[in-house]
Every structure is written in structure tokens, then in C-alpha cells.
Amino acid sequence: MKNLILVGMFLVTSFLMAQGTIKGTVTDSEMNTPLPGANVMVFGTNAGATTDFDGNFSLKADKSNGKLVVSYVGFKKKEIPFTLTNGQTLELGEISLEADNSALDEILITTYSLAIDRKTPVAVSTIKAQDIETKLGNQEFPEILKSTPGVYATKGGGGFGDSELRLRGFNSENIAVMINGVPVNDMENGRVYWSNWAGLADVTRSMQVQRGLGASKVAVPSIGGTVNIITKTTDVKKGGSFFATTGNDGYQKFGATVSTGRLDSGFAATISASKTSGNGFVDGTKFEGYSYFVNLAQEIGEDHQLSFTAFGAPQRHGQRQNRELIETFQRSERGIRFNRDWGYKNGQEYNVEDNFYHKPQISLNHFWNISDKTDLSTAVYASFGTGGGSGYSGTNKFGIDNSPYRNGDLQPVNLDLIVQENVDRGALGSETIIRDSNNNHSWYGALSTLSTELTDDIDLMAGVDLRYYKGEHFQSVKDLLGGQFFNDDSNVNNPVNNAKVDDKISYYNDGIVLWEGVFAQAEYSKNDLSAFVSLAASNTSYKRIDYFNYLDSDPEQETDFQNFFGYSAKGGANYNIDNHHNVFANVGYFERAPFFRAVFLNFQNDINEDAENQKIFSAELGYGYRANNLRVNLNLYRTNWKDRTLTRSFNNPDGSFGSANILGINAIHQGIELDVDYRPFDNLTLRAMASIGDWKWQDDVKGVEIFDDEQNLVNTIDIFIEDLKVGDAAQTTFGLGVDYDVLPSTTLRLDYNFYDDYFADFDPNNRTNANSKQAWEAPSYGLVDLGLVHNFKLGSLDATIIGNVNNLLDTEYIADARDGRTSSYQDALVWYGFGRTYTLGAKIKF
């Protein structure tokens, strides 16, 4: 009760002190382009804001008059006097800053181009740090994008960091994710594991989503789009903050950030750390995670700057790996929270499936101002990942149908019974154990870009992108569950392995990936026309070393490098018709190397001689409208994906396992996207979004001949997929949002998102019947989210209370599905989305 009284006193006090809102746009006076990330402060107070990618800012001022200080690293500060009456919104319009050659420039890796409104010809959405801070709550990081056109984000199985992101119907394998321009997609399979970046929201300055081709210059772009996350860097003002948040199911998060600002010596530093823990909405998904972030920057002379960044997020969390029948969730007393993958051991909660990982990433950036027209930006980086996920090996005793190892129907696993059985086996060893599947890696890279002004209207950029990656993959014994050892015969070098805890079992192999890329891009900008042409090429080399399936004396234990040459060509143009209307177009073609798993078949060093580059053609048209209180974006896109990597498994005549490459699997992703921001009044903002996709497999593939290792014809198959919908993402989405400033210091937010045309995911290999059915279509659903942000003074300090309720109406919905044999709801395997969840937090700045 005392806490509620204190919060009430804070609210009343802040209401009385509130004065008004100041808005404006910060631009580069020479280039007349927006300055994203500029700092805007009320002199003598901690009231301030950071501009978005379009240079816009909005801040609450608790003084009736004073000076506004506008600053941006590399530019001269500007002071603007203001006078406010209580509740007034003051529009300052455009604020132009002049370049300051003596300032410490912010160092960003320039292989990623930030899209500039009404200039860069791509479809783009920008999420500011303020939106991430106020909206995210206990959602997963990709869910902050759920009101973005073309995006479908889910929580996956529901474990901490197990979220999934799809963009225009493409999964994370086909979405490039970068942090400060450094790629983070797995070099072997292209995936992104968001649990590795659990603390990133605390230090993100802004996040930009470029759909389609995007403005990235790295050698081979992604298919669906690019997500670039920009962290806080040397432009952070002196000071810091600490915060604490609580929420449903034991959710707790607290942390702090401290920044020195730029010192007279040209040095600047920012340090951030946090801890997150909770029980999880889904049963058996308890989690604990930490995060840290360090950025150090130093000016060296007039022409050189260095920036060092290190961050990571070690974590461990329980998982729900198994989708279930709808009937199973309905039958369980735990409903949508049901999870088969956990139980009790010695009276303690025990995860049969869990995830543990730590992936620190460090980078050193150097910026060299060679001349007034030429700059060189170079970054070297390294990442060292350790961890993996748990599961069982041996006899499966974790089923749910009439299982004697559960204390009742659909109850948690009784691991004590499994332990006792293993103890009774004595010298025979454990029949069932818990193992870890470890996926460690070492990743080193270098990115360097030379930028020069060829003429007043033409800029040229060229650079190199080099990467070395080694992944170490093996299983190890985690828990013998009471037994003395676990008998494993998977290693031909040690066929009788009575494995103890931490011993390797089942498989042990390394994957090595080399990447050499070059790129060049020319940009033209004059008056109302801007355009670019980009060319890039890369060589991807794969090598596999298998320590279990081949004798140490066998030269086949290590393969030669398998090389795949890829390239891309793209271009686009934007034309500003007048001060309100603009149109743009882009087009591109690229070839991308197949993933590692398609090059080496059968989980061995069997080289797929028929592995082909994936081929992608993409085109887009766009229109924009800008007025003082209205912004409209409309995009039409079409992406043709040819020779999508696909393999088929089969049994050789001798009974051994085999697989073959299947060519000709093509898909079309096309659609229309619309987003609108409208501010009818100074204290009211309305948002709307619509995305209507038509994503489908393009052609049947007939007469596919399957050969064994000796080139004997094993089978001939037909795959019937023409016009079947691509699954695993809602093809139709709509969104509505309202932000209402109840008072200058208090904002209420209401968001509604609607999802339709979600078809269950399926393997095209299984569509061998001429009467193949469309995959099961899950029911459409809509979700309502509610948010509150209140700013107030705590003594001389600025403070904020943030509250969020997600799925306010507690809607029950299916967020993820795998198609079954009959393509109906009866045998689809699904994950339900979360019910109503909430967070309440406070942040104090100093």
C-alpha cells in the first residue's frame, strides 16, 4: 500500500509540474539530410530526447522558458531559446546543424547504409529506442516489430529468447540481422538465436528494418530483408540510469547504464549491465539471464578515431520443444501453458529440454578522415559462442500417451522413476540419460569501406568483407540419471564407450566456413532525384571434419573446401515529385551459396555434387506522402526464389541411409504494404498498417531421379506443390494504434494487430500425391496491447514509470503450426500464443 501511495504522489506532483512539449527536426545544414541520433536537451535539466532516423524529436519540458541545446557528434552545438505555457506544444520546425571538424565523430560500420526518408529507394521502418523501452516489456525482442508491415513475430515454443521472426514470408535464415553493421546470422545455417542477444534492448539506440533488397552493401544480401540494430555509442551524454521491472509469472529485470560523455581528452565510455529472471508463462520454462555492454571511444589527432564495443548475454532457460495436437492442449489441465518437456527430480523442477548459451561479440572500429572528400571505415570483430541445448538420449520415456513415467495424464515427468530404473540396471549402465547438444563457435571478421566524393553529385563506396568461422558440434553426457555410465558406440575410434558425465557421445564434428566478399556502390543525388547502383561478389567455402564417423587414420575424416561463388547486382531510384509526394523503385538479382547442411549429406562427409546456388530476383515500387501531420508509405513487391535448398532422404538398397539434392523448388513472394501515421491533434497520434501477401510455391517438380552413392537409380518421384501457400507466417496482417498524451507527462497507448491467412508449415518433399491438399489454415486472430508511460521528477532527477499489458483481452490463439497427414486441425501440431501478460517498471536518470 505504501508503494501505491508513493506512486500516486509521484503522479500528482508530476502533473502539477508539467509545462509542455517541444517538437522539431534536426538536419545537416550542408547536405540538408536528417541527423538520426542527435541529442536534444533542456539546458540545466535532464529533460531530453534523441532524434529518430528522420531527424524528428519530441520532448517533455517542465520549465516554462529556457534554452534548448541541440548536439550531434561531429557537428557544432546549437542553442535555441523557448517559452511555453502549460500544456502547449511548441513546433520548432527544422533545426540545421553545421559540421564541426574538431569533434569526435561517431563511428558506425558503413557497410550498412541507413535509409534516409525521401532519398533511399527502399521500404523501411524505424523503431526508436524510446519505443523499444516503452513497448517491449517482457516480450521477445523481435516482437517490437509486430506492427511493422510484412512482419510476423512469435514466441516460438515460449522459452526465454526462443522467439521467431519472419519477414515477407521468409524465416530468419533468409533475413540478414546486423548489430552496428556486423552480421550475426549463423554462418552454417543462417539462423538467428535471439536468446543470445537478450540484453540488447537495454542499449539499442534505434533499429531499422529494410524490407526486400535494402541498402546494405555487403556481398550477398538477404532475401526477405535486413534488420540493423544500432547500439548506444559515443554520442551518449554524460550521466546514466537505473531501472527495475516486474511482471507476470515471477518476471524480474533490473539494470543500470553509465556514460562519461565526451571528455576534453577526446575519450568517451558507456557501460551497461542487467539481470533478467522469471518462471515463464509456459510451464517448465524458468529462466535467468545477464547482459553487459561496453563502448569505449577515443579521438586520435584530427583525422583518426577508434571505438571499441563488447557485449553479450549469458543465459539459461527451460524450453518447450514439442508442438502438440490441439486436442492435447484442450485435454490438459494447464491448457495453453502445457509443456511435456520437464518434470521433477528429487522434488526439484528439472528441464528435460533447456538452452544455455553465451555469445560475446567484440569489435574495434577505426575511422580515418583521409581528406575532405574521402573516408576509410574499418572494423575487425570476433565472436566466441559456447553452449547448446539439452534433451534425452537412449530409450524415450518422455511420451505423453498413457506414460507410466508421469504422475497422471499429461502431468510432469517423474524423473525419480527413471533414476531408479537406471540404478537397478547396475553394470548395464543407464538406459535413458539427459545429454547436451553443444554448438560452440569461433568467428572472426573484418569489414572495410572506402567512401569518396567523385563529383558534387556522385559518391562512390567500395570495400571488402572477410570472415572466418569454425563451429564445433558434439553431444555430451549431462546427467546419467542415476546410472554408472551410458554405452555409446557412435565413435568408430572408440566403439565401446562407457561414457561418463561430460564425455562426448553420438556425434562430434567441426564445420569451417570461409567468406571473402567485395562490393562497390555508386550513389547519385541532385535536386529531387537520387539513385544508386550496387555490385557485389563473394566466395563461400565449406569444410567438414568428422571425428566419430571416420577413423583418425582415414583421409576422408576431413573434406576439402567446397567453394560457391555468389554475386549480386541491384539498383534503385527515388524521385521527389514535390514537397509532399515521392516515388521510388528498386530491382536486383543475386545468387547465394546453399547452406552447409545441403553441401554435406547424411550427417557425414558425403559431398552433394549437385548443390546449387539459390537464385533470387526481386523488384519493388513505392510511394510516399509527407505533410506536417500525416505520413503515408505504400509498397508493391515481388520476389522470385529459385532452386531453394531442399534435400530428400531415402534408404539405399543395402538398407543404409541416403539423401539427395532436389532442384527446381521455386517460390513467389509478392504483396502490398501500407503504413500510415496521422496526428490530428498535438496530443493524439494515430497509426495504421496493412500487409497483404501472396506467397506460394511456383511449380510442380516432376521426374526427380534419386540415385545412391554408386549412381544407381533408386527412385523417381514427383513433387506436387504448384500454387500451394508458403506456410509458417500470416500472409495478411492489419494494425491500428493510438498514442494519446493525457497530460504532457503522461501517454496512453493502445495497439491492435490482426493476423489472417496463416497456413501451417510443411515439407514440400511430402507433397508427392497429385491431389496434394493446401496446408491447414489456422484461425485468424486479433490482439490488443495497452501501455502507459508517465514521466515525473524524483527530486532533481528525471524518472519514468512504464506499464504494459499484452493480449489485454486474453485472446486464445494459435501462433505456430506444423501440417499433419490430413492437413486439418485434427492432426496439426501447434503452439498457442501467450495469454494476458503484464509488466510494470520504473527508470531513474541521473
Side-chain angles (χ1 to χ4, degrees):
M1 178 62 70
K2 291 182 178 179
N3 290 337
L4 291 175
I5 293 174
L6 287 173
V7 170
M9 292 174 62
F10 288 150
L11 291 171
V12 172
T13 302
S14 61
F15 291 165
L16 295 176
M17 296 181 65
Q19 293 294 337
T21 302
I22 304 174
K23 297 182 178 182
T25 302
V26 181
T27 62
D28 179 340
S29 62
E30 180 180 354
M31 303 298 294
N32 195 31
T33 56
L35 289 177
N39 288 319
V40 185
M41 301 293 299
V42 177
F43 182 76
T45 75
N46 286 321
T50 302
T51 58
D52 61 21
F53 275 103
D54 297 327
N56 300 317
F57 71 89
S58 176
L59 64 82
K60 313 292 185 182
D62 54 18
K63 298 175 63 175
S64 60
N65 58 75
K67 287 189 300 185
L68 205 65
V69 180
V70 183
S71 63
Y72 189 80
V73 178
F75 289 79
K76 295 178 181 179
K77 289 183 180 179
K78 178 173 282 190
E79 297 183 355
I80 302 170
F82 69 87
T83 301
L84 284 170
T85 57
N86 198 40
Q88 177 190 2
T89 296
L90 178 61
E91 293 279 359
L92 295 179
E94 184 175 305
I95 303 170
S96 297
L97 299 186
E98 297 180 358
D100 181 0
N101 294 330
S102 64
L104 174 64
D105 290 332
E106 178 188 9
I107 303 170
L108 291 178
I109 300 172
T110 56
T111 50
Y112 181 86
S113 295
L114 298 179
I116 299 174
D117 191 39
R118 289 171 55 88
K119 181 178 180 181
T120 309
V122 300
V124 61
S125 298
T126 300
I127 296 88
K128 298 178 291 184
Q130 180 180 356
D131 291 333
I132 296 172
E133 180 181 16
T134 59
K135 290 185 178 182
L136 191 61
N138 57 1
Q139 297 180 98
E140 298 292 322
F141 197 60
E143 290 184 274
I144 198 68
L145 302 174
K146 63 186 178 184
S147 294
T148 302
V151 166
Y152 187 69
T154 75
K155 297 178 183 292
F160 177 71
D162 289 343
S163 54
E164 296 284 348
L165 176 66
R166 290 97 173 185
L167 184 53
R168 289 183 173 176
F170 299 101
N171 61 18
S172 65
E173 296 178 355
N174 302 294
I175 303 170
V177 178
M178 294 186 283
I179 301 176
N180 296 331
V182 173
V184 299
N185 296 72
D186 189 283
M187 289 288 289
E188 292 180 86
N189 58 36
R191 296 173 186 165
V192 176
Y193 303 97
W194 292 101
S195 59
N196 298 339
W197 318 107
L200 203 56
D202 304 332
V203 295
T204 295
R205 192 183 68 192
S206 51
M207 177 164 55
Q208 192 173 83
V209 181
Q210 297 180 5
R211 304 185 294 278
L213 291 175
S216 173
K217 297 182 288 289
V218 289
V220 178
S222 65
I223 301 175
T226 305
V227 177
N228 194 49
I229 300 162
I230 306 296
T231 63
K232 297 175 181 178
T233 49
T234 57
D235 64 346
V236 177
K237 66 183 180 67
K238 180 180 179 180
S241 64
F242 60 88
F243 66 88
T245 304
T246 187
N248 58 280
D249 300 294
Y251 181 88
Q252 290 187 336
K253 183 175 183 178
F254 56 88
T257 298
V258 179
S259 299
T260 65
R262 181 183 181 272
L263 305 180
D264 293 338
S265 63
F267 175 78
T270 298
I271 300 174
S272 178
S274 69
K275 178 186 176 182
T276 310
S277 61
N279 298 320
F281 180 87
V282 173
D283 292 341
T285 56
K286 184 179 292 186
F287 59 91
E288 184 172 276
Y290 301 83
S291 70
Y292 56 88
F293 172 88
V294 177
N295 176 257
L296 308 174
Q298 178 66 55
E299 180 183 31
I300 305 173
E302 296 182 355
D303 301 324
H304 297 270
Q305 294 89 37
L306 286 176
S307 176
F308 171 83
T309 303
F311 56 91
Q315 58 79 34
R316 178 181 289 272
H317 68 275
Q319 289 188 297
R320 177 171 61 177
Q321 291 278 32
N322 288 283
R323 295 170 178 82
E324 306 290 352
L325 297 172
I326 295 173
E327 180 268 338
T328 300
F329 286 107
Q330 294 174 339
R331 190 158 50 93
S332 170
E333 64 183 32
R334 298 296 298 160
I336 64 175
R337 295 176 183 255
F338 174 71
N339 177 17
R340 71 164 69 191
D341 300 321
W342 71 289
Y344 290 98
K345 179 185 175 186
N346 294 328
Q348 301 295 315
E349 183 176 318
Y350 190 98
N351 294 108
V352 177
E353 302 274 358
D354 74 352
N355 178 272
F356 53 98
Y357 216 80
H358 183 203
K359 180 186 172 71
Q361 180 168 299
I362 58 176
S363 63
L364 180 64
N365 301 344
H366 172 249
F367 180 80
W368 179 17
N369 183 20
I370 300 174
S371 69
D372 292 340
K373 294 186 176 182
T374 304
D375 299 319
L376 179 65
S377 177
T378 302
V380 292
Y381 61 91
S383 175
F384 309 97
T386 56
S390 298
Y392 77 91
S393 283
T395 302
N396 182 3
K397 299 180 180 180
F398 304 103
I400 58 174
D401 293 327
N402 301 315
S403 172
Y405 300 98
R406 297 180 184 268
N407 295 323
D409 187 38
L410 303 182
Q411 295 298 308
V413 179
N414 179 1
L415 283 111
D416 292 332
L417 180 57
I418 299 175
V419 168
Q420 187 59 53
E421 289 180 347
N422 284 340
V423 170
D424 293 342
R425 286 173 58 86
L428 295 176
S430 294
E431 187 176 36
T432 301
I433 65 166
I434 302 299
R435 50 79 182 154
D436 285 334
S437 294
N438 299 272
N439 294 285
N440 305 331
H441 75 253
S442 300
W443 184 350
Y444 307 92
L447 292 162
S448 187
T449 302
L450 181 72
S451 304
T452 187
E453 296 180 16
L454 295 181
T455 70
D456 291 340
D457 307 321
I458 300 176
D459 294 338
L460 177 65
M461 286 155 284
V464 296
D465 174 11
L466 305 175
R467 310 177 204 174
Y468 168 85
Y469 173 97
K470 180 179 180 181
E472 183 184 26
H473 315 293
F474 62 89
Q475 282 190 359
S476 60
V477 178
K478 176 182 180 179
D479 189 341
L480 289 168
L481 295 179
Q484 299 178 18
F485 61 86
F486 180 69
N487 186 275
D488 178 70
D489 61 358
S490 301
N491 184 359
V492 297
N493 295 287
N494 182 21
V496 182
N497 178 20
N498 293 329
K500 303 295 182 63
V501 172
D502 293 332
D503 287 349
K504 292 181 174 64
I505 60 171
S506 187
Y507 62 84
Y508 177 25
N509 57 78
D510 293 342
I512 300 175
V513 184
L514 305 180
W515 173 289
E516 307 93 22
V518 294
F519 51 87
Q521 181 163 305
E523 297 181 355
Y524 171 84
S525 181
K526 185 176 182 179
N527 299 327
D528 294 320
L529 178 65
S530 58
F532 79 95
V533 176
S534 177
L535 299 173
S538 67
N539 182 67
T540 305
S541 305
Y542 295 131
K543 172 182 283 195
R544 190 175 190 275
I545 306 172
D546 194 322
Y547 303 102
F548 269 25
N549 287 317
Y550 302 87
L551 293 170
D552 293 337
S553 58
D554 188 346
E556 298 295 324
Q557 187 181 73
E558 179 175 343
T559 71
D560 294 330
F561 277 111
Q562 305 299 306
N563 298 298
F564 297 88
F565 177 78
Y567 65 92
S568 69
K570 61 182 179 178
N574 177 85
Y575 180 69
N576 295 328
I577 300 171
D578 55 29
N579 291 334
H580 298 294
H581 305 269
N582 72 288
V583 292
F584 74 83
N586 62 57
V587 64
Y589 175 84
F590 63 93
E591 293 193 4
R592 187 180 72 177
F595 291 126
F596 193 92
R597 65 177 181 269
V599 177
F600 302 103
L601 303 175
N602 308 326
F603 303 103
Q604 298 188 91
N605 291 349
D606 296 343
I607 297 173
N608 181 3
E609 301 290 350
D610 296 324
E612 287 271 354
N613 280 353
Q614 302 179 71
K615 305 168 185 67
I616 297 93
F617 172 83
S618 184
E620 184 161 10
L621 294 173
Y623 163 78
Y625 176 82
R626 300 292 182 270
N628 290 335
N629 62 347
L630 178 63
R631 296 165 57 93
V632 179
N633 296 299
L634 179 66
N635 308 298
L636 298 169
Y637 67 90
R638 179 181 172 91
T639 301
N640 190 359
W641 185 6
K642 295 185 176 182
D643 288 333
R644 178 174 175 174
T645 299
L646 191 67
T647 58
R648 182 178 179 87
S649 304
F650 62 90
N651 290 321
N652 289 311
D654 62 1
S656 62
F657 179 77
S659 59
N661 194 61
I662 305 246
L663 298 178
I665 301 296
N666 306 327
I668 292 288
H669 290 240
Q670 58 189 359
I672 183 171
E673 299 166 342
L674 173 71
D675 62 275
V676 179
D677 285 336
Y678 177 52
R679 195 174 71 232
F681 309 105
D682 289 340
N683 63 343
L684 178 65
T685 301
L686 306 176
R687 301 179 307 277
M689 175 274 293
S691 178
I692 302 174
D694 180 19
W695 314 326
K696 58 189 178 184
W697 299 100
Q698 188 174 10
D699 303 302
D700 293 335
V701 183
K702 297 182 179 181
V704 179
E705 295 182 329
I706 307 297
F707 294 90
D708 63 18
D709 293 340
E710 298 179 356
Q711 295 304 302
N712 298 312
L713 182 63
V714 176
N715 195 8
T716 300
I717 63 170
D718 297 329
I719 297 178
F720 298 93
I721 57 174
E722 183 176 359
D723 292 334
L724 295 186
K725 296 287 188 177
V726 172
D728 213 21
Q731 302 204 17
T732 300
T733 59
F734 297 98
L736 294 172
V738 179
D739 288 356
Y740 179 61
D741 296 334
V742 182
L743 291 170
S745 59
T746 307
T747 301
L748 282 173
R749 185 190 71 254
L750 191 69
D751 289 304
Y752 174 75
N753 287 283
F754 176 79
Y755 305 91
D756 197 6
D757 297 325
Y758 177 96
F759 295 88
D761 194 19
F762 67 92
D763 184 354
N765 272 322
N766 296 331
R767 293 304 202 258
T768 56
N769 189 314
N771 297 317
S772 292
K773 293 182 179 180
Q774 194 73 261
W776 175 65
E777 183 179 355
S780 60
Y781 63 94
L783 302 177
V784 177
D785 297 335
L786 177 67
L788 167 71
V789 179
H790 176 65
N791 299 295
F792 61 97
K793 281 288 187 180
L794 186 62
S796 61
L797 302 179
D798 290 326
T800 304
I801 290 177
I802 301 171
N804 282 288
V805 181
N806 298 111
N807 193 1
L808 177 67
L809 303 181
D810 202 23
T811 299
E812 188 173 285
Y813 64 99
I814 292 170
D816 188 292
R818 291 277 175 87
D819 205 34
R821 182 178 55 85
T822 65
S823 296
S824 66
Y825 75 91
Q826 286 98 335
D827 58 7
L829 297 174
V830 308
W831 279 323
Y832 279 84
F834 284 15
R836 184 187 300 114
T837 60
Y838 72 90
T839 55
L840 180 64
K843 183 175 184 178
I844 300 175
K845 299 178 181 178
F846 56 87

